[in-house]
Amino acid sequence: TQLLEQSPQFLSIQEGENLTVYCNSSSVFSSLQWYRQEPGEGPVLLVTVVTGGEVKKLKRLTFQFGDARKDSSLHITAAQPGDTGLYLCAGTRVNTGNQFYFGTGTSLTVIP
Amino acid sequence: KAGVTQTPRYLIKTRGQQVTLSCSPISGHRSVSWYQQTPGQGLQFLFEYFSETQRNKGNFPGRFSGRQFSNSRSEMNVSTLELGDSALYLCASSFSRDTYNEQFFGPGTRLTVL
């Protein structure tokens, strides 16, 4: 059973379009991370959010942690082919140390 | 600073065999976690080691085991391999076990069980 559900599971868009990926749970998380993974490689950390309501921007990517720390979103503006990959959210819970719970993943394809 | 390294990158085994995978964390990192990634189940937590002690364990059978050495390097062993063990095995290292800690992944070992 996945604690974190991501939507959509698959997304195919044209270059220049905007998109949002959602990461939802019924559980509260101490922190939440977003990763991008390319085929045959390990996930690469994009951002960590730790405060409810926190918003972080990384160039064209905007990350938000829900006020109740149960959900998060990733918004990409003007998507580029280089954004193609599997996007994963992962959260940590209080008193579980380094046990990260991963979301189901969103596979993004940006068509030139 | 060198990243997390995993060896081997690819491995082919047959059912019933056993396998050992190796992970070298980023220098200075003392926590090593292992994950199994499959298309159907996504990324599933196997276990975490910190200072040579297993600190957390996921919901996997006892055929999956691991250890960590004094230099923080870690190995994962899978005995009596099954077809369903075919997966990408990922290792991640962290500096500490703080709740807001960040983990960094290696490239993974692709295990195929025939």
Side-chain angles (χ1 to χ4, degrees), chain B residues 17-30:
Chain B
Q17 287 187 310
Q18 74 165 18
V19 67
T20 299
L21 312 181
S22 181
C23 171
S24 292
I26 292 172
S27 178
H29 284 194
R30 296 166 62 193

Side-chain angles (χ1 to χ4, degrees), chain A residues 95-112:
Chain A
N95 298 326
T96 60
N98 272 347
Q99 183 163 355
F100 285 76
Y101 299 88
F102 274 82
T104 47
T106 295
S107 179
L108 170 66
T109 301
V110 181
I111 304 166

Side-chain angles (χ1 to χ4, degrees), chain A residues 22-76:
Chain A
Y22 299 94
C23 175
N24 295 302
S25 177
S26 57
S27 300
V28 176
F29 289 87
S30 304
S31 70
L32 203 130
Q33 300 185 341
W34 283 92
Y35 294 83
R36 181 172 66 220
Q37 184 179 22
E38 299 191 15
E41 299 296 327
V44 175
L45 179 66
L46 297 174
V47 77
T48 299
V49 286
V50 300
T51 305
E54 182 176 2
V55 177
K56 280 192 174 180
K57 292 192 175 185
L58 183 66
K59 295 183 181 178
R60 296 176 293 100
L61 278 61
T62 301
F63 305 86
Q64 184 163 7
F65 201 9
D67 291 341
R69 291 185 289 140
K70 293 183 179 181
D71 54 84
S72 181
S73 64
L74 157 61
H75 182 79
I76 301 179

Side-chain angles (χ1 to χ4, degrees), chain B residues 46-58:
Chain B
L46 280 157
F47 29 65
E48 179 216 354
Y49 286 87
F50 183 83
S51 294
E52 303 177 63
T53 302
Q54 188 180 88
R55 304 290 180 158
N56 277 313
K57 191 177 190 305

Side-chain angles (χ1 to χ4, degrees), chain A residues 6 17 36 42 49 54 58 65 76 80 86 88-89 93:
Chain A
Q6 287 184 236
E17 292 184 348
R36 181 172 66 220
V49 286
E54 182 176 2
L58 183 66
F65 201 9
I76 301 179
Q80 299 177 0
L86 178 67
L88 295 157
C89 64
R93 303 177 71 187

